[in-house]
């Protein structure tokens, strides 16, 4: 039975798993069970002596969460609702895409990971922020989503996007050690190029992240071409207006020599006029950034809507013709299963 009084094994970096009188090779066996096989249950670790398993289970909890609902299908988008040890809910989304060139098609699996229960930043269109921030996730709860979602998928996860519930940069103390474990070949061994962190624009934290050694990718949730438009839907813009945000981005890019992405959700009548498209193209040129356009996913109880497909296409064309370095239009695959993060949890806690 999970107890909140016991620490979580995954909250401790595995090179610090330091149990009295437990030989190193035993720790190595546990590491393999956890990270290579994804077993978060002492009973399944068949090469450990019973007495050791019972000792260790007295000291630490293995599983940070359990799946309480899985929605969707394995060939497109699968959304998993997790219950944490303190009965809070978070969600992760598995997204399968087929890509490739010259007849070689490969199926890539991306996991969208949460970093907080709720979110303090209160973007007006977002389900995650509706009830404010409940708490930060711990390192183990971040890593646990990936281990357990990998079990759920039954295959390796190719890409990680920190675009689930919460603002990743508001939880750097837990996220950085999680990234260390995710990146390490002895941990999850996912390459930095396959990891994207999305932020609504916490300027000082973008600068802090710039000195993190691994080359993870950064995406900025822009959602407005000028301050006036952006502040209507993103209160964070009052603290860090666009110019300040872009200066931090420039510093990040200068330090990292890596392209960033500007994410732009399209909301009908709010930020979808072509003036905004022109501004967005200008910004993308200035930062030499990719642009990712995402038509808005409706959230129950909120007034916002996605624009008509014609307007979406026109907006896309205008940004592309403004010579933005690269523009993609992402039609949300899981629209029909509440794929925008935060929505499944919202339904669960409103029951
Ligand atoms: N807090 C971070 C990461 C989580 S949100 C951030 O804001 O960047 C990940 C992305 O999903 C953001 O770009 C966010 O604006 C977007 N998003 C939130 N609600 C959405 C919705 N209903 N439809 C489409 N995108 C949404
Ligand atoms: Fe928080 Fe991101 Fe949602 Fe804004 S969009 S409320 S920052 S999770």
């Amino acid at each position: 039975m999970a107890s909140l009084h016991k620490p979580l094994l995954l909250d401790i970096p595995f090179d610090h798993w330091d149990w009295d009188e437990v030989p190193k090779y035993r720790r190595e066996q546990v590491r393999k069970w956890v990270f290579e096989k994804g077993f978060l249950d002492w009973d399944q670790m068949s090469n450990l002596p019973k007495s050791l398993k019972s000792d260790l289970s007295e000291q630490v909890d293995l599983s940070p969460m359990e799946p309480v609902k899985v929605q969707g299908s394995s060939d497109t988008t699968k959304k998993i609702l997790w219950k944490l040890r303190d009965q809070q809910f978070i969600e992760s989304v598995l997204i399968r895409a087929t890509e490739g060139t010259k007849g070689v098609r490969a199926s890539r699996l991306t996991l969208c990971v949460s970093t907080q229960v709720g979110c303090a930043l209160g973007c007006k269109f977002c389900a995650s922020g509706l009830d404010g921030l409940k708490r930060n996730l711990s390192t183990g709860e971040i890593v646990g989503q990936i281990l357990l979602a990998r079990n759920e998928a039954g295959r390796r996860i190719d890409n990680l996007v920190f675009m689930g519930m919460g603002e990743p940069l508001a939880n750097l103390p837990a996220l950085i050690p999680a990234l260390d474990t995710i990146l390490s070949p002895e941990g999850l061994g996912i390459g930095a190029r396959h990891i994207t962190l999305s932020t609504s624009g916490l300027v000082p934290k973008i600068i802090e992240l710039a000195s993190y050694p691994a080359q993870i990718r950064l995406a900025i949730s822009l959602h407005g071409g000028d301050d006036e438009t952006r502040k209507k839907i993103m209160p964070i813009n009052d603290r860090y207006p666009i110019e300040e945000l872009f200066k931090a981005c420039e510093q990040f890019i200068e330090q990292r020599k890596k392209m960033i992405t500007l994410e732009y959700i399209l909301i009908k009548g709010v930020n979808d006029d072509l003036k905004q498209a022109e501004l967005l193209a200008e910004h993308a040129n200035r930062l030499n950034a990719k642009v990712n356009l995402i038509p808005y996913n409706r959230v129950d109880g909120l007034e916002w809507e996605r624009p008509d497909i014609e307007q979406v296409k026109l907006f896309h064309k205008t940004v592309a013709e403004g010579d933005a370095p690269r523009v993609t239009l992402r039609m949300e695959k899981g629209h029909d299963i509440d794929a925008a993060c935060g929505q499944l949890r919202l339904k669960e806690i409103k029951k």
Side-chain angles (χ1 to χ4, degrees):
M1 177 68 190
S3 147
L4 275 175
H5 304 295
K6 277 189 266 178
L8 198 54
L9 181 77
L10 291 173
D11 279 340
I12 309 164
F14 52 84
D15 47 355
H16 287 71
W17 290 354
D18 216 354
W19 301 301
D20 286 345
E21 292 163 34
V22 177
K24 256 204 161 93
Y25 78 96
R26 291 288 185 206
R27 281 181 253 160
E28 178 58 13
Q29 284 173 323
V30 176
R31 185 193 64 75
K32 284 193 171 150
W33 283 115
V34 171
F35 292 108
E36 291 176 14
K37 301 211 165 56
F39 283 8
L40 289 174
D41 179 354
W42 294 115
D43 288 340
Q44 289 176 305
M45 301 188 186
S46 54
N47 57 0
L48 298 186
K50 234 183 170 157
S51 57
L52 177 63
K53 288 193 273 199
S54 117
D55 268 7
L56 292 180
S57 64
E58 290 289 309
Q59 294 183 47
V60 281
D61 261 353
L62 264 184
S63 188
M65 58 195 56
E66 54 182 274
V68 286
K69 192 181 275 178
V70 179
Q71 244 185 36
S73 66
S74 56
D75 53 331
T76 53
T77 303
K78 216 185 212 186
K79 190 158 191 164
I80 311 163
L81 183 73
W82 309 106
K83 187 152 72 174
L84 304 174
R85 294 186 303 167
D86 64 351
Q87 318 298 309
Q88 299 279 1
F89 295 99
I90 55 161
E91 47 196 87
S92 316
V93 188
L94 281 161
I95 305 149
R96 196 177 294 257
T98 309
E99 52 189 49
T101 47
K102 297 181 186 156
V104 185
R105 308 290 286 169
S107 154
R108 315 277 300 168
L109 193 61
T110 298
L111 182 71
C112 180
V113 182
S114 292
T115 52
Q116 298 183 307
V117 182
C119 181
L121 297 177
C123 300
K124 304 237 166 90
F125 49 80
C126 176
S128 298
L130 280 182
D131 290 332
L133 175 70
K134 294 278 176 265
R135 67 171 176 86
N136 280 326
L137 293 187
S138 73
T139 298
E141 288 167 334
I142 296 171
V143 174
Q145 288 172 70
I146 307 161
L147 274 175
L148 292 172
R150 188 179 69 180
N151 292 350
E152 190 69 46
R155 57 162 279 185
R156 70 166 274 121
I157 288 168
D158 302 297
N159 302 305
L160 289 183
V161 291
F162 287 91
M163 295 185 182
M165 191 185 299
E167 168 54 51
L169 294 193
N171 189 14
L172 279 181
L175 182 61
I176 294 292
L179 284 172
D180 293 342
T181 298
I182 292 164
L183 290 159
S184 165
E186 292 179 294
L188 286 161
I190 299 177
R193 285 180 305 116
H194 298 282
I195 301 174
T196 303
L197 222 142
S198 174
T199 178
S200 59
L202 293 183
V203 164
K205 303 292 176 186
I206 292 175
I207 291 165
E208 200 177 321
L209 187 72
S211 48
Y212 183 68
Q215 285 280 19
I216 49 177
R217 297 176 187 275
L218 183 68
I220 305 287
S221 292
L222 193 62
H223 311 335
D226 50 32
D227 286 324
E228 201 187 322
T229 307
R230 191 167 190 258
K231 72 197 285 182
K232 280 197 286 196
I233 44 179
M234 298 183 73
I236 181 108
N237 200 76
D238 291 334
R239 251 156 85 201
Y240 304 115
I242 290 180
E243 186 51 36
E244 222 177 296
L245 173 59
F246 285 175
K247 290 228 167 78
C249 292
E250 281 168 337
Q251 189 174 330
F252 186 92
I253 296 160
E254 172 58 33
Q255 241 169 293
R256 313 298 297 245
K257 311 279 178 245
K258 257 230 140 42
M259 272 180 114
I260 62 163
T261 300
L262 298 177
E263 291 173 274
Y264 198 101
I265 52 173
L266 288 159
I267 310 179
K268 188 175 188 168
V270 174
N271 64 358
D272 63 340
D273 60 285
L274 300 185
K275 173 77 188 139
Q276 297 298 313
E278 286 164 13
L279 286 170
L280 179 56
E282 275 174 34
H283 297 324
N285 278 318
R286 166 178 169 184
L287 298 171
N288 189 34
K290 298 179 223 172
V291 171
N292 201 358
L293 299 173
I294 311 138
Y296 182 64
N297 258 312
R298 269 193 61 84
V299 173
D300 274 354
L302 295 184
E303 72 218 78
W304 320 98
E305 280 176 29
R306 97 175 12 195
D308 306 328
I309 186 70
E310 289 74 29
Q311 185 63 18
V312 170
K313 285 186 177 158
L314 206 54
F315 194 97
H316 181 200
K317 187 162 171 266
T318 310
V319 183
E321 285 174 352
D323 279 337
R326 205 171 93 202
V327 195
T328 50
L329 174 61
R330 182 149 56 92
M331 294 304 281
E332 207 56 77
K333 276 200 169 149
H335 192 45
D336 50 338
I337 60 143
D338 308 315
C341 249
Q343 300 201 36
L344 202 58
R345 165 179 172 266
L346 202 64
K347 280 189 183 155
E348 193 66 26
I349 59 182
K350 280 198 171 153
K351 265 184 196 166

